[in-house]
Amino acid sequence: MNSDELSKIIDTEQDTDQKFKHHVCVCVAAGCLSSHSDQVKSALEEEIKKQGLEHECQVKGVGCMGLCAAGPLASVRESGKLYQEVRPENAAEIVAGMNGQPVEPAEAPSAAQLPPEMPFFSRQVRIVLENSGTIDPNRIEDYLVAGGYQALAKALSERTPPEIIEEVYKSGLRGRGGAGYPTGLKWSTVSKARGNPKYVICNADEGDPGAFMDRSVLESDPHRVLEGMALAAFAVGASQGYVYVRAEYPLAIERLQNAIKQARRLRFLGNDVCGTTFSFNIDVRLGAGAFVCGEETALIASVEGGRGNPKPRPPYPAEAGLWGCPTLINNVETFASIAPIVRNSGTWYASIGTEKSKGTKVFALAGRVKNTGLIEVPMGMTLREIVFDIGGGIPDGKRLKAVQTGGPSGGCIPDQFLDMPVDYESLNKLGSIMGSGGMIVMDETSCMVDVAKYFMEFCMSESCGKCVPCRVGTAQMYDLLHKITEGRASLDDLQMLEDLCDLVKNTSLCGLGQSAPNPILSTLRYFREEYMDHICHHRCPAGVCKIKVPTEVTA
Ligand SMILES: Cc1cc2nc3c(=O)[nH]c(=O)nc-3n(C[C@H](O)[C@H](O)[C@H](O)COP(=O)(O)O)c2cc1C
Ligand code: SF4
């Protein structure tokens, strides 16, 4: 597709769009769909037809708007009205409101409106999620109108691969899959690596419990990920890419496959991309939902058709990855950040965030917080701002106890650090990690030993079993935590738990085992008294654990 053809599509789309006086958007990402937003969309279409307004009002299915707790969500573009918990019965009222007609007394309770200026929306900075909730993820035309594929078309015709790498380098972007490795540096290593062919892999395995950032990006704006991958392939010299996505994400897979077909049709993928000599194809590979398959060497083994077991590194995938060839692996969010960086410059991106953690981060905000959902904030925003301004605080007048970041590899940050900025360095200092973006808010009803046990049970069941420290150590740590939560443990057991944390952390083969002790270490660091309460006083202060007080044996 050349720039004239692209302009023609955009002009036609804009003309069509302007023909409609009103545009109502209904979220059709998985969260809202699970509460039947598809029926809301059909009801709105029917109502518009019934009133003969089909040439005036357009109903659009869009991606995630973020405030998942209040779904199904529907918004009216012109008035800025945002409706929460919409039901099909609310269709007449929404259409009447759109048209300025007096609203008929509804049979069902009215759909409540959310204030558009609410901090949940106004405090966010949306780069990765800029199109989520506004474009139809099933239509490449929507992505094009929003400026999509312009970065790719321009890069291919006006810039060289080293210039693209330099731009990504300047942006300071660090991998969003968990480890925070500098993306520009990784791209540069792959581009310089000897060996042919080279591959680009998008890691969409997303196995952390409660995390849904990557799923949401794929469901809401799949072309953004494809464009990022194509730019990466051009920069490092690859002509084949794979998206490795877990099979439990059927909607994301469907939209991704649809997007790949559309991009091929308009020659943003395939041979002679954008009329140049650059060729790049993307195929989808499905994972079976094993957490360890998100680890890059295990992922590569799985794409090759083998069992998803990690391998020792080096060699790193950048030098010897898929089928022994240089391979660039990045996370969904990392790729989704690329097109805006190339479009607006690395310097622009680097102006957002902190000195060492640049740009924005998407979080899945969950747990004991009023506004649960998907948010994107500049790096360096404090936990207090995230939990209390964006999240709306803790429900039921309860007190915040801790925020868990980084999932099973992360840690729990107690309330005294609420004013710490959320960036890679600060979280590491506190004994947690940024991880891929899971953020679970806990109040006084959470038992921190129980929280550590939950994550350890997860690691124990997800351990691939290849190395002994992780296979046996996670099971032993789980047993000890179980003993503590039942009030049956001794101080010697606690000492053994701490020794095991050390051993498993330092001797496991891959990141799963190396980071599995983190939730225990951080809860011991900040909530040791809760462990002592269980052990010495046979008491769970939060009232969560079923204590089995040891009965005294009389001689
Ligand atoms: C047990 C384990 C699971 C992982 N799961 C994921 C995942 O689901 N998605 C992801 O992008 N990275 C995951 N990673 C990190 C990847 O190995 C790799 O570092 C990442 O995909 C690189 O992309 P980035 O540089 O863009 O972050 C996991 C690592 C470990 C140790
Ligand atoms: S650390 Fe755990 S998950 Fe990783 S290779 Fe060893 S057994 Fe497998």
Side-chain angles (χ1 to χ4, degrees):
M1 162 135 328
N2 61 35
S3 57
D4 286 347
E5 288 164 330
L6 186 57
S7 308
K8 217 166 155 190
I9 293 183
I10 294 174
D11 288 348
T12 315
E13 281 296 309
Q14 283 172 337
D15 284 351
T16 314
D17 192 74
Q18 278 166 11
K19 279 186 195 137
F20 294 102
K21 251 169 67 188
H22 307 286
H23 301 79
V24 54
C25 298
V26 181
C27 172
V28 289
C32 282
L33 273 180
S34 68
S35 26
H36 312 298
S37 64
D38 51 341
Q39 292 175 15
V40 171
K41 183 169 173 275
S42 304
L44 281 162
E45 283 161 349
E46 270 170 37
E47 184 62 32
I48 284 169
K49 219 168 168 188
K50 197 167 109 193
Q51 296 198 24
L53 296 171
E54 58 267 54
H55 303 296
E56 270 182 46
C57 307
Q58 188 191 40
V59 182
K60 217 181 225 311
V62 295
C64 178
M65 297 183 191
L67 194 52
C68 307
L73 294 166
S75 68
V76 180
R77 195 202 290 171
E78 287 67 26
S79 63
K81 283 180 186 166
L82 178 61
Y83 297 90
Q84 63 175 329
E85 292 173 22
V86 185
R87 281 150 290 114
E89 305 87 88
N90 301 129
E93 171 198 349
I94 293 174
V95 174
M98 217 156 58
N99 244 352
Q101 290 167 1
V103 180
E104 294 287 319
E107 281 170 30
S110 295
Q113 279 183 45
L114 290 160
E117 71 283 1
M118 76 187 274
F120 180 87
F121 298 105
S122 63
R123 296 295 315 270
Q124 293 191 45
V125 173
R126 288 162 77 95
I127 295 175
V128 169
L129 304 179
E130 65 185 338
N131 295 332
S132 289
T134 58
I135 69 164
D136 180 345
N138 288 313
R139 299 189 73 240
I140 191 170
E141 294 81 1
D142 273 31
Y143 183 64
L144 295 175
V145 172
Y149 288 115
Q150 278 176 20
L152 178 66
K154 250 184 142 179
L156 293 183
S157 60
E158 294 172 16
R159 302 175 81 173
T160 63
E163 283 170 357
I164 301 297
I165 294 175
E166 181 59 23
E167 209 65 73
V168 175
Y169 209 91
K170 268 200 246 159
S171 74
L173 176 67
R174 294 167 65 172
R176 300 301 193 228
Y181 190 80
T183 307
L185 190 58
K186 197 187 266 187
W187 287 27
S188 165
T189 311
V190 179
S191 79
K192 288 181 195 147
R194 287 183 191 191
N196 246 323
K198 291 179 181 175
Y199 295 102
V200 169
I201 297 180
C202 174
N203 189 343
D205 194 53
E206 194 165 57
D208 285 17
F212 60 97
M213 301 76 56
D214 297 345
R215 170 173 64 72
S216 189
V217 170
L218 289 173
E219 283 173 3
S220 304
D221 198 5
H223 284 286
R224 153 179 305 268
V225 181
L226 302 183
E227 186 175 6
M229 288 178 73
L231 282 160
F234 174 63
V236 304
S239 54
Q240 176 65 47
Y242 295 97
V243 182
Y244 186 83
V245 53
R246 54 178 46 227
E248 288 100 325
Y249 283 177
L251 187 63
I253 294 165
E254 184 191 312
R255 290 188 182 161
L256 183 64
Q257 281 171 331
N258 177 49
I260 292 173
K261 260 192 227 149
Q262 294 175 340
R264 277 194 194 131
R265 181 167 47 82
L266 297 189
R267 299 236 308 277
F268 293 114
L269 289 177
N271 294 333
D272 310 328
V273 173
C274 298
T276 68
T277 54
F278 169 65
S279 297
F280 182 56
N281 278 299
I282 296 180
D283 290 310
V284 176
R285 289 287 179 270
L286 302 187
F291 175 56
V292 76
C293 282
E295 194 279 337
E296 54 191 20
T297 59
L299 185 152
I300 287 171
S302 176
V303 173
E304 287 173 351
R307 187 178 163 153
N309 277 356
K311 283 191 196 127
R313 296 173 307 174
Y316 288 91
E319 271 146 6
L322 193 59
W323 295 296
C325 299
T327 303
L328 175 73
I329 299 194
N330 277 130
N331 166 259
V332 169
E333 192 181 329
T334 314
F335 281 125
S337 307
I338 297 297
I341 289 172
V342 175
R343 208 185 319 130
N344 301 321
S345 86
T347 321
W348 161 79
Y349 190 82
S351 69
I352 303 160
T354 65
E355 197 196 330
K356 290 188 181 157
S357 301
K358 304 293 189 192
T360 58
K361 178 78 196 84
V362 179
F363 289 103
L365 190 60
R368 301 289 296 161
V369 64
K370 283 182 191 151
N371 303 328
T372 54
L374 202 70
I375 60 165
E376 183 174 4
V377 296
M379 292 276 191
M381 184 175 257
T382 64
L383 267 180
R384 188 185 299 283
E385 290 170 294
I386 294 178
V387 174
F388 288 92
D389 294 351
I390 294 179
I394 318 298
D396 308 325
K398 294 265 190 315
R399 196 178 60 79
L400 180 129
K401 186 173 191 177
V403 179
Q404 208 280 344
T405 65
S409 317
C412 296
I413 303 162
D415 63 343
Q416 72 250 38
F417 297 112
L418 269 179
D419 293 310
M420 285 291 283
V422 175
D423 58 41
Y424 289 100
E425 294 70 34
S426 309
L427 290 175
N428 288 354
K429 252 191 246 161
L430 294 177
S432 191
I433 59 164
M434 177 78 72
S436 59
M439 189 178 270
I440 304 165
V441 181
M442 288 174 274
D443 67 14
E444 62 223 60
T445 60
S446 293
C447 165
M448 303 316 281
V449 188
D450 185 61
V451 168
K453 188 175 87 168
Y454 167 78
F455 284 115
M456 190 48 67
E457 185 174 13
F458 178 81
C459 290
M460 176 181 71
S461 9
E462 293 295 330
S463 165
C464 79
K466 180 169 172 170
C467 64
V468 177
C470 170
R471 183 180 70 236
V472 182
T474 51
Q476 288 181 339
M477 288 191 288
Y478 173 77
D479 285 346
L480 286 166
L481 286 166
H482 188 58
K483 213 170 161 188
I484 298 174
T485 54
E486 288 195 336
R488 295 185 291 110
S490 65
L491 288 173
D492 284 348
D493 289 325
L494 183 62
Q495 185 56 54
M496 200 189 301
L497 181 65
E498 295 195 75
D499 292 346
L500 273 169
C501 284
D502 210 36
L503 186 121
V504 174
K505 196 176 171 72
N506 293 315
T507 56
S508 291
L509 172 61
C510 86
L512 191 153
Q514 288 158 9
S515 61
N518 286 354
I520 303 180
L521 291 170
S522 84
T523 46
L524 272 172
R525 179 167 165 187
Y526 299 116
F527 301 96
R528 199 176 189 93
E529 72 287 354
E530 288 199 28
Y531 282 82
M532 298 312 271
D533 269 328
H534 287 77
I535 295 168
C536 302
H537 308 296
H538 312 296
R539 198 176 76 87
C540 172
V544 172
C545 303
K546 289 193 175 66
I547 301 282
K548 295 183 178 165
V549 183
T551 45
E552 277 186 24
V553 182
T554 45

